[in-house]
Amino acid sequence: MKADLADDENSGRLPNAGSPPLLTLEGITKTYSGAKALDGVDFDVRPGEVHVLFGENGAGKSTLISIVAGAIRPDAGRLLFRGEPVDIFSVQHARSLGISAVFQEFSLVPQLSIEENLFLGSEETTFGVLDKSATRKRASELLDQLGFSLRATQRVAYLSRAEQQMVEIAKAFRADLSVLILDEPTASLTDKETDQLFALIDQLRSQGVGIIYITHRINEIRKIGDRITVLRDGCAVGTVGADISETDLVGMMTGRIIDQIFPSVRYRPRERVIETRGLATADGAIKDISLHVAKGEIVGLAGLVGSGKSDIARACFGLIPVSSGSVHFEGVETTGKSPRAMLDAGFFYVPSDRREEGLMMMRCARESIALPALSTPEFSKGFALRRRAESERANELAKKLNLQPRNIERTVEHFSGGNQQKILLAKSLTRKVKLFVFDEPTVGVDVGTRVAIYRFIGNLCENGAAVLLISSDMPEILHLTRRVYVMCRGALTAELTGDQITQENVLRHCFEREAA
């Protein structure tokens, strides 16, 4: 399917359609190990527009923006900046041109504070001496300008993923911009933070900044996109206006029609698998939490960043100390049990940060998939691992989840984000599980992979498992869950069922205590 409406000023919002592009890429090609990540791609961004790059994981989006940002160099093709040929040979060179990127994978130093990360390499000095007070002032002003509720002195290691995302965004705003690259910037943000970001994008557009925006969320394209260039298998399929229908856009991306994003799930709730009574954590993240999840249902946990929704699951799984209240798993009290004990009981927690907590990025997919079940008879005999059984099971799960490429000996970091997420999900199928907890299960994955993950979750529920879905993605909460608990500032503010599960109701209870 081909489409090219880039020069049609009546298609979508095309600001400065007659203006020369800020940045032009012509015939960009990049090859890795004999495989073309990009194959003769043409692309440009104009002053004051948001040009969306859209495509499945592995389509070449990250490679393209890495070339623009100076992180890698193309094998063929050329770049023009303000009409003049340019060889962007480093990230520093790109920044000197006003080209700055916010990548999906963070580049922060956990041991340093926010202010130190923001100005790393460009610190404030007075007569050659580091001026910490000036650096702190600039950092605080920048955070205030962006509307991020962060203290400049906070250490990055203690920030949530969403807060780290805010720091990454702030880094890009520290200097004058001509082209801003945003790679899945809202993946860990709630609606409130997303709206703040969109307001900043509108400011930049009014200043003539060109924005290259990568997202898998079609509703975001509708809100801020002007043009969309679709990549598939390293090639540019076409450039269209942002008013293209969802069906046509997904068809361009996948080469096939996906008729339904969310599956129709048959809920048959039975006995309760997990129940908390007055649960509170030692760090005060959650207070007096009472909820339950039964077999045969998907229960949602919604809330803003910092609301404590993830802390509930982590406390139940033994990752966070409990100060009061209790956790009951299949009627047996398990308060304070270790993650290993909870795993053995049939509780599987899929974390939101696959790189830091979910996968062994430097090891092969087989090892990550088999890791939770190495102690089971299927994979071990005494002190010896049963390698053949491990490989056979990992291959079976790779096929079941359509891992691409189907190579379980490949290092995890060399898979695309969506396929890394499939490896993370495959881990949960290596042993008998009664409760699946998915914490932001579709962060940074494309529409096709989302559909597969939603069907995966729906099938688990229909097969009798209990599922707890923790998500900042409102459509996931609205379309997948049977009941929804809403969190605000560490407390439950509502339990919604059936027709009560609407965007208006969820958001109202997210902010209920804010208003109070």
Side-chain angles (χ1 to χ4, degrees):
M1 183 187 300
K2 288 254 182 198
D4 195 345
L5 307 179
D7 296 322
D8 183 355
E9 295 187 26
N10 296 316
S11 178
R13 301 187 303 270
L14 299 183
N16 300 321
S19 303
L22 275 170
L23 181 71
T24 303
L25 285 71
E26 297 179 349
I28 297 298
T29 298
K30 183 66 179 179
T31 301
Y32 293 107
S33 303
K36 285 188 175 180
L38 294 173
D39 188 3
V41 172
D42 295 334
F43 179 83
D44 68 75
V45 60
R46 299 168 181 165
E49 80 160 335
V50 175
H51 194 152
V52 176
L53 267 177
F54 194 73
E56 293 187 277
N57 293 110
K61 305 184 301 297
S62 296
T63 302
L64 190 68
I65 62 171
S66 294
I67 288 172
V68 174
I72 59 176
R73 303 179 78 174
D75 298 328
R78 68 171 187 161
L79 286 78
L80 293 90
F81 182 70
R82 300 189 186 277
E84 297 294 326
V86 62
D87 178 17
I88 303 179
F89 54 83
S90 69
V91 173
Q92 200 63 33
H93 181 209
R95 287 177 179 165
S96 72
L97 298 172
I99 301 172
S100 191
V102 178
F103 289 106
Q104 185 178 347
E105 304 302 342
F106 301 157
S107 58
L108 302 173
V109 182
Q111 294 77 17
L112 299 181
S113 65
I114 292 176
E115 62 192 37
E116 290 167 331
N117 270 279
L118 288 179
F119 296 100
L120 190 63
S122 57
E123 293 84 356
E124 292 284 340
T125 59
T126 302
F127 302 115
V129 178
L130 187 65
D131 191 335
K132 291 188 176 182
S133 61
T135 300
R136 182 163 302 169
K137 181 181 178 182
R138 281 187 64 193
S140 298
E141 290 174 348
L142 180 58
L143 294 172
D144 289 343
Q145 172 196 339
L146 297 175
F148 294 156
S149 300
L150 298 171
R151 298 191 313 277
T153 55
Q154 288 177 275
R155 185 175 295 185
V156 165
Y158 300 131
L159 301 180
S160 68
R161 183 169 177 82
E163 290 168 335
Q164 291 180 22
Q165 180 76 77
M166 296 175 194
V167 178
E168 282 285 358
I169 292 169
K171 283 172 59 180
F173 281 79
R174 69 186 183 188
D176 292 334
L177 292 169
S178 56
V179 175
L180 175 62
I181 303 166
L182 296 171
D183 183 5
E184 294 285 355
T186 64
S188 300
L189 303 182
T190 60
D191 289 344
K192 181 179 180 180
E193 287 86 26
T194 296
D195 288 342
Q196 289 175 339
L197 176 62
F198 288 172
L200 294 170
I201 288 174
D202 283 338
Q203 289 180 27
L204 293 176
R205 293 168 73 163
S206 67
Q207 297 165 12
V209 174
I211 297 165
I212 302 172
Y213 194 94
I214 294 179
T215 183
H216 294 302
R217 297 179 176 180
I218 294 176
N219 63 318
E220 292 186 2
I221 297 174
R222 296 279 183 266
K223 287 183 180 179
I224 63 169
D226 297 305
R227 289 187 294 161
I228 310 164
T229 290
V230 181
L231 296 183
R232 188 169 75 230
D233 299 328
C235 299
V237 177
T239 299
V240 298
D243 56 354
I244 185 174
S245 72
E246 179 175 337
T247 300
D248 288 344
L249 183 58
V250 174
M252 288 179 69
M253 179 188 78
T254 63
R256 65 188 189 278
I257 300 300
I258 295 177
D259 56 358
Q260 189 175 3
I261 301 296
F262 293 97
S264 177
V265 182
R266 296 187 302 275
Y267 304 108
R268 288 193 284 265
R270 301 195 297 277
E271 61 270 22
R272 296 180 180 183
V273 175
I274 194 166
E275 182 176 8
T276 67
R277 302 170 187 170
L279 191 68
T281 54
D283 60 5
I286 56 173
K287 306 176 270 292
D288 193 26
I289 301 297
S290 296
L291 54 75
H292 68 274
V293 185
K295 292 180 179 179
E297 69 170 350
I298 302 173
V299 175
L301 256 179
L304 303 178
V305 173
S307 65
K309 60 184 187 294
S310 293
D311 297 278
I312 295 175
R314 297 174 73 85
C316 292
F317 194 58
L319 292 171
I320 300 176
V322 173
S323 59
S324 61
S326 61
V327 179
H328 297 261
F329 193 84
E330 292 198 307
V332 177
E333 184 171 354
T334 56
T335 313
K337 294 285 187 181
S338 69
R340 174 60 182 270
M342 297 308 296
L343 185 64
D344 289 341
F347 183 144
F348 200 99
Y349 172 65
V350 180
S352 60
D353 192 335
R354 58 179 174 259
R355 294 185 67 89
E356 294 297 321
E357 295 185 320
L359 299 170
M360 299 184 292
M361 302 302 294
M362 302 299 290
R363 308 293 295 182
C364 69
R366 169 180 52 79
E367 293 180 343
S368 273
I369 291 172
L371 185 62
L374 287 182
S375 61
T376 64
E378 180 182 5
F379 291 157
S380 64
K381 185 176 182 180
F383 293 103
L385 291 177
R386 303 177 65 183
R387 295 290 190 186
R388 178 177 294 181
E390 180 185 26
S391 295
E392 289 175 354
R393 184 69 168 136
N395 267 313
E396 175 190 331
L397 294 174
K399 181 179 180 180
K400 181 182 179 72
L401 292 171
N402 192 28
L403 184 67
Q404 296 294 332
R406 192 81 49 78
N407 180 4
I408 61 171
E409 300 305 322
R410 191 182 200 192
T411 305
V412 171
E413 68 175 353
H414 292 151
F415 285 91
S416 67
N419 283 291
Q420 290 175 9
Q421 197 71 6
K422 290 178 181 179
I423 295 170
L424 188 60
L425 296 179
K427 291 177 59 178
S428 69
L429 299 180
T430 56
R431 57 189 303 154
K432 187 175 181 180
V433 175
K434 300 166 185 175
L435 170 69
F436 293 86
V437 177
F438 297 102
D439 196 347
E440 306 291 356
T442 59
V443 169
V445 303
D446 60 65
V447 175
T449 304
R450 278 174 177 255
V451 171
I453 291 174
Y454 296 151
R455 287 176 181 162
F456 173 82
I457 293 174
N459 288 338
L460 292 175
C461 172
E462 291 182 342
N463 289 330
V467 179
L468 180 62
L469 175 64
I470 304 168
S471 180
S472 301
D473 190 310
M474 186 64 71
E476 291 180 0
I477 293 293
L478 299 180
H479 293 286
L480 286 177
T481 62
R482 175 180 175 268
R483 291 188 296 118
V484 176
Y485 292 102
V486 186
M487 295 284 295
C488 182
R489 293 188 177 181
L492 287 177
T493 54
E495 179 184 353
L496 307 175
T497 60
D499 293 340
Q500 296 174 332
I501 305 175
T502 65
Q503 181 167 327
E504 180 183 0
N505 280 344
V506 173
L507 289 176
R508 177 164 58 86
H509 290 293
C510 281
F511 292 103
E512 194 170 81
R513 287 177 176 249
E514 297 281 353

